[in-house]
Amino acid sequence: MKLRIAAVLLALAFSAASVAPVAAQTQPDGTREATRAPASGRAGRDRGRAPQMTPEQIQAAAQEQATLANTGCQVTEAKLLGTTAERTSVYEMACAAGPGYIIETKTPPNVTDCVVLAHSAATLRASNPAADVGPQCTIAAN
């Protein structure tokens, strides 16, 4: 039974992957022509990459993480710093009141206070000016 289910799922996945979407395009003379997207087009190149997020989506995602982490932060500005090898996102955020944070989207979220990061970096650089201090907050409000 498991083998049949696996075969059906494999067949569905293969058939869905081999279908290229059809789109109508308006030509300069006003006529419409149906075109088929190439199978090896952009979708294949973007596989594995996170979709581009708008600033509003980034701020909403950062606010969600701040809420999950019980920071009490009302996010006023946020940046997506990137993703980790574990495919978690890392955000920097500025708060309406209080310090900003760098948050990694783990469960529970991994939160680092920007003031603590700045102090740790200053302490490390005092003993070794060439030291790699890791990620730092760069939003002006932080």
Side-chain angles (χ1 to χ4, degrees):
M1 181 66 171
K2 289 182 182 180
L3 186 58
R4 285 185 188 169
I5 292 173
V8 169
L9 290 175
L10 183 62
L12 284 173
F14 180 72
S15 65
S18 64
V19 175
V22 174
Q25 294 183 351
T26 303
Q27 300 300 316
D29 63 358
T31 61
R32 294 178 67 85
E33 177 181 313
T35 59
R36 185 170 298 274
S40 63
R42 184 175 177 180
R45 288 191 310 262
D46 288 343
R47 190 168 294 148
R49 272 195 242 160
Q52 293 291 348
M53 295 175 68
T54 66
E56 294 80 14
Q57 291 171 321
I58 291 171
Q59 186 164 337
Q63 181 64 62
E64 178 182 6
Q65 292 301 310
T67 302
L68 288 171
N70 295 317
T71 61
C73 175
Q74 178 61 41
V75 177
T76 58
E77 186 177 352
K79 288 195 308 190
L80 176 60
L81 300 179
T83 57
T84 66
E86 296 85 31
R87 297 188 164 267
T88 61
S89 298
V90 180
Y91 297 95
E92 178 187 353
M93 62 192 68
C95 302
Y101 299 96
I102 291 182
I103 294 185
E104 183 180 351
T105 59
K106 291 184 174 184
T107 304
N110 184 8
V111 182
T112 307
D113 186 311
C114 287
V115 173
V116 171
L117 279 174
H119 176 70
S120 297
T123 303
L124 190 56
R125 284 187 182 131
S127 64
N128 179 4
D132 178 16
V133 294
Q136 294 294 303
C137 297
T138 58
I139 294 176
N142 288 333

